[in-house]
Amino acid sequence: MKKLIKTLALATALIFAGCAGSVTTVETKKVRPVRSKTVLINGSFYESSFEQFMKETEDPRIKHYTLRITSSGGDAYSCTGMISRILELKKRGVTFTTITYTKAFSAGAFIFMMGDNRIMHQGSQLMFHTVSSQYAYEEKDLFANPYADQARRTIFPLDENIERLTLYAMDYLPEATVWALLYSGPMFITATDAYELGIATELIKTGE
């Protein structure tokens, strides 16, 4: 009987010793952090464009955005709101590349200017103007009714903000040059001219 008990005890000890010595390795896949994202800015700017842009840029893991622009412009408030969002993210260390294969006009041009890297493909164009210069181009008198009150309350403050942001982005250009871009009416600039002025930091030539 004693011999049987000793045998069982030894067997039990060996079993537990074997369990204690076994290690099960479970492989886990590491989730790679999202570091970059491309956001398409296509068509006209609407009031909803700003909210959509906020949703596109809310992931804190992203440290670099590429903004691919094809736009004829649109709502100036959405444009300035999007620029404010870009500058907010830049303060957090986020960088931006802006690129156009086609056109970045009006609001699209101002968004293009916010890129740390600004890429244009040959054949693409930019167009700058302020709200008041557009009215002047259309031969509307901003100091006559029904435009006077609208100009005082909305148009002139908008233009002041657009000018401030553009001077900030184009700090490498003389202020007089920036002012001419903004207030001479719609000012179209080819990719080649934009590159030579430094507005675009890279020019990709088609077929080369």
Side-chain angles (χ1 to χ4, degrees):
M1 187 68 178
K2 290 182 179 180
K3 187 176 182 180
L4 177 60
I5 292 172
K6 287 182 179 180
T7 303
L8 290 174
L10 180 60
T12 303
L14 289 172
I15 291 171
F16 277 105
C19 290
S22 66
V23 177
T24 303
T25 302
V26 178
E27 291 187 4
T28 57
K29 293 183 178 179
K30 292 184 178 180
V31 179
R32 296 181 66 184
V34 177
R35 298 191 181 278
S36 62
K37 181 178 181 180
T38 296
V39 177
L40 307 182
I41 300 177
N42 296 332
S44 297
F45 284 64
Y46 298 100
E47 289 185 8
S48 59
S49 300
F50 170 68
E51 289 301 328
Q52 181 62 35
F53 189 72
M54 289 293 292
K55 290 178 182 178
E56 293 281 2
T57 58
E58 65 184 7
D59 190 340
R61 296 174 298 171
I62 296 175
K63 300 304 178 185
H64 178 265
Y65 287 94
T66 296
L67 308 181
R68 201 166 74 201
I69 306 166
T70 300
S71 177
S72 295
D75 185 76
Y77 287 106
S78 280
C79 173
T80 54
M82 290 163 71
I83 289 173
S84 294
R85 174 60 173 167
I86 291 169
L87 296 179
E88 179 181 58
L89 291 172
K90 281 189 172 186
K91 287 182 179 179
R92 301 176 189 172
V94 179
T95 57
F96 288 82
T97 294
T98 51
I99 182 169
T100 182
Y101 288 79
T102 55
K103 59 183 177 180
F105 292 170
S106 187
F110 293 117
I111 297 295
F112 178 83
M113 283 310 307
M114 294 301 115
D116 299 287
N117 298 305
R118 302 177 297 277
I119 302 169
M120 295 184 72
H121 285 252
Q122 188 175 16
S124 63
Q125 290 188 353
L126 305 175
M127 186 272 281
F128 294 92
H129 73 98
T130 58
V131 181
S132 57
S133 71
Q134 179 66 21
Y135 273 72
Y137 180 76
E138 296 171 356
E139 298 183 346
K140 295 177 181 178
D141 186 354
L142 286 175
F143 297 98
N145 288 326
Y147 303 112
D149 187 60
Q150 180 186 10
R152 186 176 69 256
R153 294 179 180 275
T154 62
I155 294 175
F156 293 148
L158 261 176
D159 280 353
E160 288 175 5
N161 195 44
I162 288 170
E163 182 177 340
R164 178 182 64 84
L165 292 170
T166 308
L167 286 168
Y168 168 83
M170 295 184 175
D171 60 350
Y172 51 87
L173 289 181
E175 187 171 337
T177 303
V178 176
W179 192 90
L181 285 173
L182 295 177
Y183 290 100
S184 354
M187 178 66 73
F188 293 85
I189 303 177
T190 66
T192 301
D193 289 341
Y195 179 68
E196 290 178 355
L197 285 169
I199 294 173
T201 57
E202 184 178 348
L203 172 62
I204 298 177
K205 295 186 177 181
T206 306
E208 294 187 9

